Amino acid sequence: KGIKHDHSQHGIVSRAISSSDFPILMGNIANKTLLQSFEVADETYSQWCDTSGNIRDFKTQTRARAGELGGMKEIIEGEGTPYAARAEQKEEFSLRTFSEGFTLGRKAIINDDLGEMLDAFEQFGLDVRQLYGDLAYDELFANANMGDANPLFDAAHANIGTQGIISETTIGEAVKLMKLQKDIGGLRRLNIRGKYILSSVKNEGAVETFFKSDQFVTGSADATRTNIYAGQFTRIYEPRLDDNDSGDPWFMLGPNKTIQLSFLNGNQAPFMESVKDFDTDGVKWRVRADVGAKAVRWEGMVRNLGA
């Protein structure tokens, strides 16, 4: 005798959820939609952050840094090679786990509401990318102590500009501060060249006007001077700076990407899984990300609190 099946809608839906085809089919759709939205999400952190951190577990991680050796010195007759101790410093952090989920209920499945499902999967991808941006900017704004017990932006690090809007004076000062940075042993100037200007969205017009102006009018209508910073720097405008409660800050950032985002086994893509929900005759979906953010050096970053 054959096995009797429940041919009601409830029975059909239950068998669909538990069958081998449904989870595979939905899993393929879910992951494809998730990754597509994750990859196209408009976030600015990836332009100036190092996202190459690869960590194997959740233990406290140490990022060690060593200073210069002291440089080549002349050997005086009768004397040996000079040996110098290297200055060392370390930064510590660990990965954190983040997750969210939703339930695809029996009614949505019966109604074949694919739009609701796709929208949820798409939102997963957007939320993970936004999480990474939040962590990067939180680290920038937190100004937490570094391994030397001084805040990221501090007079001891010589990376705070005289407060003011972006101008020839404030940009010139930031350029000087960055170029005159020394290695952690204080032995050599690093001559770091600024690459990015990070500013709020509300100041985009004024900042673009400054950098796209080849000349400025001086004392009289006929007298002008050249804007030596015209066309320089990659400008990044981030809404999180508009919402920041530390005034109206802007930043000059170097090419060495001093804030690092690290991921479990280097995997930036979010992980998604599903399970049948017996309470609702539906399917539960959840997405997870394992990530940590840490400023690993202060050289190559200058902060100005702005207007």
Side-chain angles (χ1 to χ4, degrees):
K1 295 182 179 179
I3 299 174
K4 294 183 178 180
H5 292 291
D6 181 356
H7 296 289
S8 66
Q9 271 193 322
H10 179 275
I12 294 172
V13 169
S14 296
R15 291 200 304 277
I17 293 174
S18 60
S19 71
S20 60
D21 292 338
F22 183 82
I24 294 173
L25 176 62
M26 289 309 303
N28 290 339
I29 295 174
N31 279 291
K32 183 177 180 180
T33 305
L34 168 74
L35 293 176
Q36 284 179 339
S37 64
F38 173 76
E39 290 170 358
V40 303
D42 191 12
E43 286 286 343
T44 63
Y45 72 89
S46 58
Q47 297 181 60
W48 59 272
C49 282
D50 177 7
T51 59
S52 65
N54 184 340
I55 297 177
R56 294 182 299 175
D57 52 44
F58 294 92
K59 298 176 183 177
T60 298
Q61 305 295 312
T62 299
R63 291 290 182 267
R65 299 172 53 200
E68 298 295 311
L69 284 171
M72 298 293 290
K73 294 179 175 61
E74 180 183 2
I75 296 180
I76 307 301
E77 184 69 23
E79 297 183 7
T81 298
Y83 291 87
R86 302 181 73 180
E88 293 184 349
Q89 185 179 309
K90 64 180 180 179
E91 303 297 336
E92 295 184 338
F93 66 101
S94 59
L95 292 180
R96 301 158 63 189
T97 298
F98 299 84
S99 181
E100 69 172 331
F102 87 105
T103 298
L104 182 63
R106 172 173 170 267
K107 288 184 178 180
I109 297 173
I110 292 176
N111 294 338
D112 193 24
D113 194 350
L114 186 60
E116 178 184 340
M117 292 183 279
L118 294 180
D119 180 70
F121 301 147
E122 180 178 308
Q123 190 61 51
F124 273 163
L126 297 175
D127 287 350
V128 173
R129 182 71 82 178
Q130 185 177 51
L131 166 68
Y132 296 169
D134 288 343
L135 293 175
Y137 281 99
D138 285 349
E139 184 69 9
L140 186 68
F141 297 148
N143 202 30
N145 283 358
M146 303 288 287
D148 66 348
N150 294 306
L152 171 60
F153 298 102
D154 190 76
H157 294 157
N159 62 356
I160 298 178
T162 304
Q163 185 170 352
I165 62 173
I166 289 178
S167 66
E168 290 173 285
T169 300
T170 56
I171 289 293
E173 180 189 38
V175 168
K176 181 184 73 173
L177 288 172
M178 195 170 291
K179 286 187 174 183
L180 292 182
Q181 282 285 340
K182 291 185 176 181
D183 76 282
I184 59 175
L187 301 176
R188 181 175 67 89
R189 300 286 185 185
L190 298 178
N191 196 30
I192 301 171
R193 296 179 180 272
K195 182 176 182 179
Y196 306 98
I197 294 294
L198 178 60
S199 180
S200 61
V201 172
K202 71 179 180 182
N203 289 331
E204 180 174 353
V207 174
E208 286 299 301
T209 297
F210 172 80
F211 284 109
K212 290 182 178 179
S213 297
D214 295 324
Q215 294 182 322
F216 296 114
V217 175
T218 56
S220 65
D222 297 325
T224 60
R225 69 181 184 278
T226 300
N227 178 12
I228 62 174
Y229 300 114
Q232 293 194 29
F233 306 101
T234 297
R235 280 90 67 186
I236 303 171
Y237 301 100
E238 171 53 52
R240 291 177 179 86
L241 270 71
D242 293 79
D243 298 331
N244 181 254
D245 58 3
S246 299
D248 190 15
W250 57 270
F251 302 83
M252 180 179 290
L253 307 172
N256 49 357
K257 299 188 175 183
T258 60
I259 288 181
Q260 183 180 79
L261 288 177
S262 298
F263 305 90
L264 185 65
N265 297 318
N267 186 18
Q268 297 186 39
F271 173 79
M272 186 161 61
E273 60 187 346
S274 64
V275 65
K276 182 176 179 181
D277 184 2
F278 292 96
D279 293 330
T280 64
D281 289 324
V283 180
K284 286 184 176 179
W285 298 86
R286 73 167 184 173
V287 66
R288 185 181 72 238
D290 302 303
V291 56
K294 183 67 176 72
V296 294
R297 57 188 301 170
W298 60 83
E299 305 90 345
M301 304 185 81
V302 174
R303 184 189 69 181
N304 191 304
L305 292 179

